[in-house]
Amino acid sequence: QVQLVESGGGLVQAGGSLRLPCAASGRTLSNHAIGWFRQAPGKEREFVALSWSDGTTYHADSEKGRFTISRDNAKNTVYLRMNRLKPEETGVYYCAAGRGPFASSSAREYDYWGQGTQVTVSS
């Protein structure tokens, strides 16, 4: 079992920045693919970014160049750095761990989920 706890959410003005940590316990995150997903009210959960255990990262096209996923294996923590935030990126942000070192952008491939952290971007 992997337990994940997100933090760092809050209210930010459009154009601002936030960094979301996702702290893990129970297993070493370095052995798992980690994804970040966002769910806005009334919408489906959508992919934001992922990191494979070999360090490969992928970001959704709409966030490319503004969002960065990174890992600190010593702290067993994954981060999502978000710059130049937009109001349409408001939602609950979840981190998730896959069964193994690789996973796609599909939420179905992630077995372990945090409780989420709310990000609100005001215009």
Side-chain angles (χ1 to χ4, degrees):
Q1 282 281 5
V2 179
Q3 291 78 43
L4 302 170
V5 178
E6 306 95 332
S7 60
L11 174 64
V12 63
Q13 288 189 331
S17 298
L18 284 173
R19 188 181 74 154
L20 307 182
C22 171
S25 60
R27 285 190 187 175
T28 302
L29 275 188
S30 61
N31 297 326
H32 294 266
I34 302 297
W36 280 98
F37 296 82
R38 172 176 65 234
Q39 188 162 22
K43 295 188 176 181
E44 291 188 357
R45 196 166 295 188
E46 62 178 341
F47 168 74
V48 174
L50 66 83
S51 169
W52 289 347
S53 61
D54 66 357
T56 302
T57 61
Y58 292 98
H59 299 79
D61 287 343
S62 56
E63 279 82 26
K64 208 169 290 184
R66 298 184 298 115
F67 288 18
T68 304
I69 187 171
S70 62
R71 292 174 181 253
D72 185 336
N73 288 333
K75 294 183 178 180
N76 215 26
T77 299
V78 175
Y79 301 93
L80 182 68
R81 176 70 181 182
M82 306 185 294
N83 295 327
R84 303 195 304 278
L85 280 158
K86 303 175 181 180
E88 56 266 36
E89 291 163 344
T90 291
V92 179
Y93 283 71
Y94 298 91
C95 71
R99 295 179 204 108
F102 306 103
S104 75
S105 59
S106 171
R108 287 190 295 271
E109 294 191 19
Y110 295 82
D111 283 352
Y112 308 102
W113 292 80
Q115 83 289 348
T117 185
Q118 176 71 44
V119 172
T120 302
V121 185
S122 64
S123 57

